[in-house]
């Protein structure tokens, strides 16, 4: 650019000299045609050169302005850059550094040594790596701790590059480094979170059945424990819907409530009976947690289940024991009263009759006194077994109501049929020919039975039909025992 300007200035000077000569010849009146031609050509050339000189000066001014603007941008960028930069010699003395170094690490002097800013535990490693840049001329990257100007340690990620002189020798190293403390802290937190998650997952896998489904209920994850309990292999079950475990024990409403809850983004808890691959059943205490997307909509569900099959079996056994008479294995009075309430409501809704039979062994006290209590218990067991054989309807409830007294609920059975059933029981027990030397009516064990039948009404309590049956039993005993007495159906429905 400087050479061009010199050239243009020379042409301009030549034009100036030519113009002066032209004026001289004009004054002397010695102009020839050749002189005029030469002057004309030189005048044109000089005009062009002057124009080019002016244009070049304008461009040069614009270029200088642009260079200054770029320098200002670079100065601002260097001032605001987050990465730090330093140039060090072979002894580690900082020759120059960026403003960001001064902001974070502190101001430097002609004697500031970069190595002295490194944590003592990291110094040996970092110095050796940087020295290898001087000796090998190869770029390196590493991480270490550096002292902040405020006295605490920060994590640094550094890139060291060789800077060669005119002889090709590395006499300086350029260090570009950045504070990665926040990133390291985040990484440590992430690793801790991952470890915690792995620990939680391990604990869950060891103690629970864990299954994850998509929003449509298709399995996308299942742990080994769930496979073992269900009998399915991982290959067989992955990608299959959860309904493959449906045992058809629960109602449609049960599953509708489950789905409505989790699709609403809420946690569902409950007990579910599932079916195994082989057709068996197992119970699980289940918690279903929906995973929500950014819009708050479920996109996955995690099912955490605990096997409660044994506890449900024990619960069933306890329930059975709480409802069964220990001597005869018939239902007890507690169960009988509860079922009477349920059947009463059911028969009221369907407007069907419900019948009750109450019976006991004739002269049982005399039997016990003569044969002993063990024989008395054996006799009650024989009576209960025979009565149970005769009542094969699953809806019928046969219970030992107390002592030698038994009671039967016959839902949907009218007075005529219930009387027939009662008389069959009486005849079958008599046919057993269990000896009873102290009986007042026979040499064998006999029964007296009272029957009552009624169509339940809202204004009648269930215990009314029991009173009627008990009254009929009392009447049977007054009638000479070993007989059946039934209250009139019309009477039953008018109490």
């Amino acid at each position: 650019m400087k050479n061009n300007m010199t050239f243009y200035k020379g042409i301009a000077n030549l034009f100036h000299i030519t113009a002066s000569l032209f004026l001289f010849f004009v004054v002397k009146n010695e102009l020839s045609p050749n002189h005029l031609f030469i002057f004309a050509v030189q005048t044109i050339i000089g005009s062009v050169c002057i124009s080019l000189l002016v244009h070049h000066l304008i461009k040069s001014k614009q270029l200088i302005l642009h260079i200054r603007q770029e320098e200002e941008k670079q100065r601002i960028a260097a001032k605001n850059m987050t990465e730090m930069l330093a140039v060090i010699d072979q002894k580690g003395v900082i020759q120059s550094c960026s403003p960001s170094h001064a902001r974070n690490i502190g101001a430097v002097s002609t004697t500031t040594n970069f190595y002295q800013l490194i944590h003592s535990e990291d110094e040996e490693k970092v110095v050796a790596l940087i020295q290898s840049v001087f000796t090998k001329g190869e770029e390196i990257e590493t991480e270490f701790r550096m002292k902040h100007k405020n006295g605490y340690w920060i994590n640094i990620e550094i890139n060291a590059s060789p800077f060669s002189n005119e002889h090709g020798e590395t006499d300086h190293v350029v260090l570009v480094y950045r504070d990665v403390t926040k990133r390291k802290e985040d990484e440590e937190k992430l690793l801790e979170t991952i470890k915690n998650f792995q620990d939680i997952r391990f604990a869950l896998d060891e103690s629970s059945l864990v299954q994850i489904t998509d929003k449509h209920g298709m399995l996308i994850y299942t742990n080994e424990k769930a496979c073992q309990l269900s009998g399915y292999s991982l290959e067989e079950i992955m990608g299959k819907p959860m309904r493959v475990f449906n045992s058809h024990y629960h109602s449609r409403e049960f599953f509708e409530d489950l789905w409505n809850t989790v699709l609403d983004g809420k946690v569902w808890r409950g007990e579910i009976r599932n079916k195994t691959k082989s057709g068996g059943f197992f119970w699980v205490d289940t918690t279903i947690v929906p995973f929500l997307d950014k819009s708050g909509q479920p996109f996955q569900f995690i099912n955490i289940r605990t096997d409660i099959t044994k506890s449900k079996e024990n619960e069933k056994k306890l329930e059975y024991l709480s409802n069964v008479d220990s001597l005869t294995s018939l239902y007890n009075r507690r169960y009988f009263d509860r079922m009477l309430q349920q059947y009463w409501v059911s028969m009221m809704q369907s407007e069907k009759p419900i019948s009750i039979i109450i019976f006991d062994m004739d002269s049982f006290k005399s039997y016990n006194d003569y044969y002993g209590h063990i024989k008395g218990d054996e006799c009650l067991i024989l009576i209960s077994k025979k009565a149970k054989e005769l009542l094969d309807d699953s809806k019928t409830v046969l219970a030992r109501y107390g002592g030698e007294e038994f009671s039967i609920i016959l839902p949907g059975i009218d007075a005529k049929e219930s009387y027939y059933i009662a008389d069959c029981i009486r005849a079958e027990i008599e046919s057993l020919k269990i000896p009873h030397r102290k009986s007042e009516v026979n040499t064998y064990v006999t029964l007296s039975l009272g029957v009552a039948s009624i169509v339940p009404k809202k204004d009648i309590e269930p215990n009314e039909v029991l009173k009627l049956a008990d009254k009929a039993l009392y009447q049977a005993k007054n009638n000479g025992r070993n007989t059946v007495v039934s209250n009139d159906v019309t009477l039953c429905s008018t109490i």
Side-chain angles (χ1 to χ4, degrees), residues 142-154:
T142 188
E143 291 185 5
F144 60 93
R145 287 162 290 178
M146 179 179 274
K147 197 167 189 177
H148 193 273
K149 68 177 183 179
N150 293 332
Y152 56 86
W153 296 99
I154 58 176

Side-chain angles (χ1 to χ4, degrees), residues 6 67 85 143 153 158 191 216 262 264 277 299 302 336 344 366 373 379 385 415 422 473 484:
T6 302
I67 291 171
L85 185 145
E143 291 185 5
W153 296 99
I158 193 168
L191 289 173
H216 303 297
V262 295
D264 198 35
K277 180 182 177 181
F299 68 95
I302 180 168
F336 180 91
W344 187 268
S366 300
H373 289 284
C379 185
K385 284 184 177 179
L473 173 60
V484 178

Side-chain angles (χ1 to χ4, degrees), residues 76-298:
I76 293 171
K79 183 179 179 182
N80 296 319
M81 69 184 295
T82 56
E83 291 187 337
M84 294 168 275
L85 185 145
V87 178
I88 63 171
D89 62 17
Q90 290 190 354
K91 294 180 179 180
V93 177
I94 298 177
Q95 304 298 306
S96 63
C97 68
S98 63
S100 53
H101 176 97
R103 284 198 307 271
N104 292 282
I105 309 304
V108 299
S109 65
T110 56
T111 60
T112 302
N113 194 296
F114 184 83
Y115 299 149
Q116 294 175 351
L117 303 173
I118 301 171
H119 194 284
S120 59
E121 294 178 2
D122 302 331
E123 184 178 355
E124 184 179 350
K125 177 194 75 172
V126 177
V127 172
L129 286 170
I130 293 177
Q131 286 301 314
S132 72
V133 179
F134 281 104
T135 57
K136 298 180 181 179
E138 296 176 354
E139 183 179 318
I140 61 101
E141 288 184 358
T142 188
E143 291 185 5
F144 60 93
R145 287 162 290 178
M146 179 179 274
K147 197 167 189 177
H148 193 273
K149 68 177 183 179
N150 293 332
Y152 56 86
W153 296 99
I154 58 176
N155 290 292
I156 292 294
E157 183 180 74
I158 193 168
N159 176 281
S161 303
F163 188 82
S164 302
N165 57 25
E166 63 273 14
H167 303 296
E169 300 169 341
T170 302
D171 55 1
H172 291 85
V173 169
V174 179
L175 306 175
V176 179
Y177 43 104
R178 64 193 64 82
D179 183 356
V180 294
T181 305
K182 179 67 169 59
R183 190 195 75 190
K184 295 287 286 186
E185 290 174 353
D186 291 341
E187 286 175 355
E188 288 175 3
K189 288 179 182 177
L190 178 60
L191 289 173
E192 185 178 356
T193 301
I194 292 171
K195 184 180 181 303
N196 289 339
F197 175 77
Q198 289 173 337
D199 291 343
I200 291 170
R201 177 176 171 179
F202 177 77
L204 282 174
D205 282 342
E206 287 299 307
S207 62
S208 306
L209 290 73
V210 181
Q211 294 170 310
I212 300 176
T213 69
D214 63 15
K215 63 182 179 181
H216 303 297
M218 308 297 285
L219 271 168
I220 58 177
Y221 171 81
T222 185
N223 67 353
E224 182 62 27
K225 208 170 187 68
C227 290
Q228 290 174 356
L229 189 59
S230 66
Y232 289 97
S233 67
L234 187 64
E235 293 74 18
E236 288 175 319
I237 205 63
M238 286 301 292
K240 297 292 174 50
M242 285 293 288
R243 64 173 175 269
V244 298
F245 303 113
N246 191 351
S247 65
H248 303 288
Y249 175 85
H250 305 281
S251 65
R252 187 173 186 176
E253 291 73 21
F254 175 89
F255 287 108
E256 285 179 355
D257 173 70
L258 185 157
W259 275 105
N260 289 337
T261 301
V262 295
L263 288 175
D264 198 35
K266 299 175 183 176
V267 177
W268 184 91
R269 295 180 179 88
E271 296 179 352
I272 302 177
R273 191 182 83 164
N274 285 337
K275 184 177 68 174
T276 65
K277 180 182 177 181
S278 61
F281 302 104
F282 63 96
W283 281 88
V284 283
D285 183 36
T286 303
T287 299
I288 303 177
V289 181
F291 288 172
L292 309 181
D293 58 22
K294 292 181 179 179
S295 63
Q297 296 301 310

Side-chain angles (χ1 to χ4, degrees), residues 356-359 390-391 408 410 415-429 447-451 483-486:
I356 300 294
I357 299 174
I358 298 179
F359 63 92
L390 296 170
L391 301 168
I408 304 170
L410 299 168
K416 185 177 180 180
E417 189 173 354
S418 59
Y419 181 91
Y420 173 77
I421 292 171
D423 197 51
C424 284
I425 293 172
R426 182 201 63 77
E428 286 295 324
I429 297 301
L447 303 178
S448 294
L449 303 93
V451 180
T483 189
V484 178
V485 172
S486 175

